[in-house]
Amino acid sequence: MKSQISIENVSKVFGRHKALDNVSLEIEKGEIFALLGPNGAGKTTLISAICGLCRQSSGNIKVNDFDTLTHYKETRNQIGLVPQELPLDGFESVYNSCQFSRGLFGLKESRDHIEKILKTLSLFDKRDEQIFGLSGGMKRRLLIAKALAHEPKILFLDEPTSGLDPFSRRSIWDILKSANIGRCTVLTTHFMEEADL
């Protein structure tokens, strides 16, 4: 099967610190790929390089045969990113927040698509509520909904269950398994049991 993500001999240097050292890997369509390691291992740096948030110092990264440096727009449009932090506008509604994310990629409003995502993530009943009133677990699920709003082929999740209780973590993993159909999912985690999805 053809790889959706191809990483070849990628290194990233910050001053004297080498965050990535000659990393190579292939990730296929439909695969759930876990980057497991402690803080400072380079997990977020690798995701940032693939998503175009930073440039690798050397090596090549391709997303569906598009080079991430020379075809930034084509690669970024195929990627949904769930960051580790919770960068949400607390006064925005759940639905409008998802629609705004979709609009950032130049796509027209699609109420059917957004509502389908919200139903899958058990947020449909909260669609008109302001974000600041959501629980921590709901905010994490909303970040996933926002990342899926523009119908990406690849989903990246950076510590998606950080700060959640065990029940909420298990719920997130169950949702990700069902949302993974037809796309590849790459996540970072500290939890060994979560690497076995």
Side-chain angles (χ1 to χ4, degrees), residues 76-91:
R76 188 63 186 92
N77 284 343
Q78 298 182 57
I79 294 173
L81 174 63
V82 180
Q84 188 173 1
E85 299 81 19
L86 294 170
L88 298 168
D89 180 356
F91 294 99

Side-chain angles (χ1 to χ4, degrees), residues 90-92 94 126 129-136 138-139:
F91 294 99
E92 186 63 89
V94 168
K126 303 288 185 182
E129 294 189 19
Q130 292 179 315
I131 294 169
F132 73 82
L134 302 180
S135 68
M138 289 178 182
K139 288 176 181 176

Side-chain angles (χ1 to χ4, degrees), residues 7-177:
I7 300 169
E8 183 180 3
N9 303 321
V10 167
S11 295
K12 176 63 179 177
V13 178
F14 295 99
R16 295 181 180 178
H17 175 68
K18 183 171 276 191
L20 299 173
D21 187 7
N22 204 37
V23 176
S24 294
L25 57 92
E26 304 282 330
I27 305 173
E28 296 180 355
K29 182 177 180 179
E31 187 174 1
I32 297 178
F33 190 91
L35 295 170
L36 181 66
N39 288 332
K43 302 183 302 295
T44 299
T45 301
L46 182 59
I47 285 181
S48 297
I50 299 168
C51 294
L53 301 177
C54 73
R55 295 172 64 98
Q56 65 266 29
S57 302
S58 62
N60 300 301
I61 303 173
K62 290 187 177 181
V63 174
N64 286 324
D65 289 331
F66 288 107
D67 186 278
T68 56
L69 297 181
T70 58
H71 294 90
Y72 169 80
K73 188 172 182 179
E74 290 86 349
T75 57
R76 188 63 186 92
N77 284 343
Q78 298 182 57
I79 294 173
L81 174 63
V82 180
Q84 188 173 1
E85 299 81 19
L86 294 170
L88 298 168
D89 180 356
F91 294 99
E92 186 63 89
S93 75
V94 168
Y95 176 87
N96 287 342
S97 182
C98 290
Q99 183 51 52
F100 177 76
S101 292
R102 182 177 174 83
L104 289 175
F105 290 87
L107 300 178
K108 294 181 180 179
E109 182 173 5
S110 176
R111 181 168 291 275
D112 289 344
H113 177 67
I114 299 297
E115 290 185 350
K116 180 181 178 182
I117 292 171
L118 295 178
K119 288 175 182 175
T120 300
L121 295 169
S122 301
L123 289 171
F124 185 73
D125 292 343
K126 303 288 185 182
R127 64 191 180 280
D128 296 322
E129 294 189 19
Q130 292 179 315
I131 294 169
F132 73 82
L134 302 180
S135 68
M138 289 178 182
K139 288 176 181 176
R140 286 281 172 202
R141 295 201 305 271
L142 176 56
L143 287 177
I144 296 171
K146 288 169 64 65
L148 293 172
H150 69 284
E151 305 172 56
K153 296 177 180 177
I154 299 168
L155 183 63
F156 283 92
L157 304 104
D158 194 5
E159 297 290 348
T161 60
S162 177
L164 298 182
D165 62 84
F167 179 80
S168 296
R169 281 210 311 266
R170 187 71 259 165
S171 175
I172 293 288
W173 297 134
D174 290 342
I175 289 167
L176 290 177
K177 284 181 183 178

